[in-house]
């Protein structure tokens, strides 16, 4: 899992690249989370994420919940069709709310 942070004044876009699996979730938790907590708006760009397993889904659920509890707006963008199919099967958009996926 690799990532790129594109920072603007109060917003940051996190471009993830690679599988969001058990190894990828460690990168997100240890490196990305501390770097994005100071922004008021976060966009997770999943364009280059071809696969998300259960640990990745759990991470996304916890990440969105934590950000929202801290008053940080978070959206998930550019989800690949095959990944979105899994999210839809698990009702992730319903759980997180329609406004999270753009």
């Amino acid at each position: 899992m690799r990532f790129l942070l594109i920072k603007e004044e109060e917003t940051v876009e996190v471009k993830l690249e690679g599988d969001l699996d058990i190894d990828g979730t460690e990168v997100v938790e240890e490196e990305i989370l501390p770097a994005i907590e100071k922004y008021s708006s976060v966009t997770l760009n999943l364009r280059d994420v071809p696969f998300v397993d259960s640990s990745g889904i759990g991470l996304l659920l916890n990440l969105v919940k934590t950000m929202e509890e801290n008053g940080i707006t978070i959206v998930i963008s550019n989800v690949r069709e095959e990944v979105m199919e899994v999210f839809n099967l698990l009702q992730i958009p319903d759980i997180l709310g329609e406004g999270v996926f753009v």
Side-chain angles (χ1 to χ4, degrees):
M1 167 69 52
R2 296 187 325 200
F3 66 93
L4 172 67
L5 298 178
I6 302 171
K7 304 171 188 175
E8 295 184 18
E9 290 182 21
E10 294 293 316
T11 66
V12 63
E13 178 179 3
V14 181
K15 290 187 174 186
L16 298 176
E17 182 180 321
D19 293 340
L20 191 52
D21 54 14
I22 190 74
D23 295 327
T25 58
E26 288 180 21
V27 171
V28 173
E29 290 173 339
E30 295 173 7
E31 297 180 37
I32 297 174
L33 273 177
I36 65 174
E37 292 177 329
K38 61 185 175 196
Y39 293 93
S40 61
S41 176
V42 175
T43 300
L44 281 181
N45 185 331
L46 302 186
R47 174 177 287 133
D48 296 319
V49 177
F51 173 79
V52 179
D53 73 1
S54 59
S55 60
I57 289 170
L59 173 80
L60 290 176
L61 292 172
N62 288 330
L63 178 65
V64 170
K65 181 182 172 193
T66 301
M67 294 288 126
E68 289 177 344
E69 286 174 353
N70 291 322
I72 300 169
T73 303
I74 183 165
V75 294
I76 301 171
S77 68
N78 299 310
V79 180
R80 290 184 178 201
E81 185 177 333
E82 60 270 21
V83 173
M84 197 66 204
E85 286 178 19
V86 174
F87 288 171
N88 286 329
L89 281 171
L90 297 171
Q91 300 177 335
I92 302 301
D94 295 334
I95 293 168
L96 295 179
E98 290 299 320
V100 172
F101 289 93
V102 293

